[in-house]
Amino acid sequence: MKIICDWNNCKEAGTYKAPIEKDNSKKYRLLCLEHIKIFNKNWNYFENMNDEEVEFFIKSDLTWHKATKTFGSSDNFFNILWNNALEDKLNIFKSSNFRDFKKTKVSQQDRDALQVMELNDEVKWEQIHSKFKENKKKYNTDKNQGNKKFEDKLKKITLAYSQLKKTLGKK
């Protein structure tokens, strides 16, 4: 079935779509190549619009003609995200541990060293020092008949203590 051009008295095949309305609806008419060129040449979307309507169209085109919300509005997507991000349900940011942790700025190497010494991030230097002395006695090779397992453990503890002394120790 051949569709005829929708131009007055034209008998050519209508294969090109030309909008009927300016509202981005799906309504269109089919024109032949010659008549679609004439249509496009004369098409003026802003025809019969006043200056305010043209200005409104151009401004709304910046947001793809979608309604926008101010950042402060309660249902703005980014405002909702921001409020949820600041909602500290687990009280992580209110705890004194977090504030102390932020102040000390313990590096990953220091955390690893503290783990080797079986201590947590909240420990004070005096506790690190006394734990090292305690471990030195506990894993001493003379006390443990030269057991290689205890010797390796003491080496790791000594390296961990050296790391902590370098970064957290009293200067």
Side-chain angles (χ1 to χ4, degrees):
M1 182 173 138
K2 182 178 173 184
I3 299 175
I4 305 296
C5 176
D6 194 24
W7 201 269
N8 290 341
N9 300 322
C10 182
K11 304 289 184 220
E12 296 294 318
T15 53
Y16 300 95
K17 292 179 181 180
I20 295 175
E21 299 174 15
K22 295 179 185 180
D23 63 358
N24 291 331
S25 69
K26 303 290 183 210
K27 298 177 186 172
Y28 58 89
R29 59 189 194 157
L30 294 171
L31 301 175
C32 65
L33 181 60
E34 180 185 336
H35 289 123
I36 196 71
K37 287 179 181 179
I38 295 168
F39 177 86
N40 285 340
K41 185 177 179 184
N42 296 320
W43 174 256
N44 181 358
Y45 186 88
F46 300 106
E47 186 177 37
N48 300 326
M49 285 187 178
N50 63 33
D51 290 344
E52 289 84 28
E53 291 171 323
V54 171
E55 187 177 339
F56 176 78
F57 177 86
I58 292 170
K59 283 183 179 178
S60 67
D61 193 43
L62 295 171
T63 58
W64 302 284
H65 304 283
K66 305 269 189 226
T68 60
K69 311 266 190 258
T70 63
F71 185 77
S73 73
S74 61
D75 57 344
N76 179 291
F77 173 74
F78 294 105
N79 199 22
I80 292 168
L81 268 180
W82 180 252
N83 287 335
N84 288 341
L86 295 179
E87 196 175 293
D88 186 18
K89 291 179 181 174
L90 300 175
N91 294 323
I92 293 168
F93 299 112
K94 291 178 186 164
S95 72
S96 61
N97 297 345
F98 180 76
R99 284 194 294 277
D100 293 343
F101 175 74
K102 275 182 69 178
K103 285 179 196 168
T104 59
K105 295 182 182 174
V106 177
S107 70
Q108 186 60 48
Q109 282 183 310
D110 291 342
R111 274 194 223 113
D112 293 343
L114 286 167
Q115 188 176 8
V116 167
M117 293 185 67
E118 298 171 354
L119 295 167
N120 62 30
D121 292 354
E122 301 165 18
V123 72
K124 304 236 181 307
W125 172 249
E126 291 77 22
Q127 293 169 301
I128 295 170
H129 187 67
S130 66
K131 182 72 171 183
F132 176 67
K133 282 178 157 181
E134 177 187 316
N135 284 334
K136 218 165 56 168
K137 289 178 189 172
K138 182 177 176 183
Y139 297 109
N140 187 308
T141 50
D142 293 336
K143 211 175 194 188
N144 294 295
Q145 292 84 31
N147 188 328
K148 187 77 171 153
K149 184 174 99 177
F150 291 105
E151 185 181 335
D152 290 342
K153 180 75 173 168
L154 184 59
K155 282 180 186 176
K156 286 180 183 176
I157 290 170
T158 305
L159 286 171
Y161 179 76
S162 299
Q163 167 66 30
L164 293 170
K165 186 175 183 180
K166 201 173 14 172
T167 56
L168 302 176
K170 293 199 174 182
K171 296 181 170 114

